[in-house]
Amino acid sequence: MKVNLGITIAFFCLCEMAQAEDYWKDPPDETSCGDLYSSTYGPDFRFARVMGPKEKRVYFLQDSNGCPKAGESKCRWEEFSPSSYLVPGDRVLVSRKYESWICGWRVTPEGDEGGWLLVKDLEFIEPDLNPSLEKWIGTWRYNYNVLKITLNKETQGLRVVGKAIYRSPRGDYWGKIDAAGEPKGTELRPLEKISEGYCQVRFRLIDDSLIVSDNSSCGGPNVRFDGLYQKENKAVLSDTTGKRKS
């Protein structure tokens, strides 16, 4: 579809609980770590804090060219992003293990970072495995994306309404979701039957962060709901969604 400058193209998905092919059924390669899919695959999510003396630096390691086994000096992401390290006290989301390493992910003002981290450098924080509905409810933001989670009074479950935006020089592409379901532990998976053009989204609540991943079928080109969302104190969702507040 041709998009003129300044034009916004909208795509809408009404997602419901249904039986569908599981988009997340295929695990990533065991050494894959660094993108959201590989960093958030599997059930064992938790946060961890870096341990050690204040001058310590813990580097995110790449997942290619023999890494992370090739060693820190060859595998650091530092070549591409000098800030890709953690210091004692920093918190990072972790998931899958591979030998002596664990896959980590964090969001910074400069952007997202991920990669392999040595297990021995981290102290793990066990999550609340059965968060209350109140912990889900609110407005969550990640970059230009906004999700509003409310109580579904009919089912006593949850409803998720949201927008995702991809901004390009040729115009804005965006997608919407309107999803309902009941959380099971830390996971909420409202589904629409999977076929070409159908949306599938998974939400996972780990302490104060909401991990969201989709199947790339929830909006226009390059539109994704994927991200590590943080809750706002004031729940607002309007047609200005995606514009940062001053």
Side-chain angles (χ1 to χ4, degrees), residues 46-47 91 125-129 131 135 140 186 205-210:
R46 49 188 165 165
F47 281 99
R91 194 178 74 154
I125 306 167
E126 294 305 319
D128 180 358
L129 298 178
K135 290 185 178 180
W140 299 81
T186 60
L205 182 61
I206 306 298
D207 297 330
D208 59 355
S209 297
L210 186 67

Side-chain angles (χ1 to χ4, degrees), residues 17 129-137 149-152 155-160 180-190 203-205 210:
M17 293 298 292
L129 298 178
N130 290 287
S132 66
L133 291 180
E134 286 74 18
K135 290 185 178 180
W136 290 86
I137 292 170
I149 302 180
T150 58
L151 181 67
N152 186 333
T155 66
Q156 294 303 304
L158 297 172
R159 181 183 179 192
V160 185
E182 296 183 11
K184 295 182 179 180
T186 60
E187 184 170 350
L188 173 67
R189 193 186 293 196
F203 309 88
R204 279 177 286 188
L205 182 61
L210 186 67

Side-chain angles (χ1 to χ4, degrees), residues 90-106:
D90 280 351
R91 194 178 74 154
V92 60
L93 181 71
V94 295
S95 57
R96 300 179 302 115
K97 286 185 179 180
Y98 171 67
E99 297 188 5
S100 301
W101 298 272
I102 194 165
C103 193
W105 185 266
R106 72 169 177 171

Side-chain angles (χ1 to χ4, degrees), residues 29 101 135 156 173 175 199 202 237:
D29 182 83
W101 298 272
K135 290 185 178 180
Q156 294 303 304
Y173 293 94
C199 178
R202 179 169 61 180
L237 184 65

Side-chain angles (χ1 to χ4, degrees), residues 3-104:
V3 183
N4 295 321
L5 182 63
I7 292 178
T8 298
I9 306 299
F11 297 80
F12 179 74
C13 168
L14 179 61
C15 301
E16 299 177 348
M17 293 298 292
Q19 295 297 319
E21 179 185 352
D22 189 350
Y23 173 71
W24 297 274
K25 65 181 175 61
D26 296 323
D29 182 83
E30 66 176 355
T31 60
S32 294
C33 176
D35 57 54
L36 188 68
Y37 186 88
S38 62
S39 300
T40 59
Y41 184 89
D44 298 325
F45 286 98
R46 49 188 165 165
F47 281 99
R49 286 193 181 93
V50 176
M51 300 185 301
K54 62 181 181 179
E55 66 274 10
K56 186 180 181 67
R57 298 290 183 267
V58 174
Y59 292 90
F60 288 107
L61 304 182
Q62 302 176 50
D63 60 358
S64 58
N65 301 317
C67 295
K69 285 187 174 183
E72 182 181 296
S73 61
K74 294 182 179 180
C75 296
R76 288 181 185 176
W77 278 115
E78 186 182 25
E79 177 183 352
F80 307 100
S81 176
S83 64
S84 292
Y85 63 80
L86 301 138
V87 298
D90 280 351
R91 194 178 74 154
V92 60
L93 181 71
V94 295
S95 57
R96 300 179 302 115
K97 286 185 179 180
Y98 171 67
E99 297 188 5
S100 301
W101 298 272
I102 194 165
C103 193

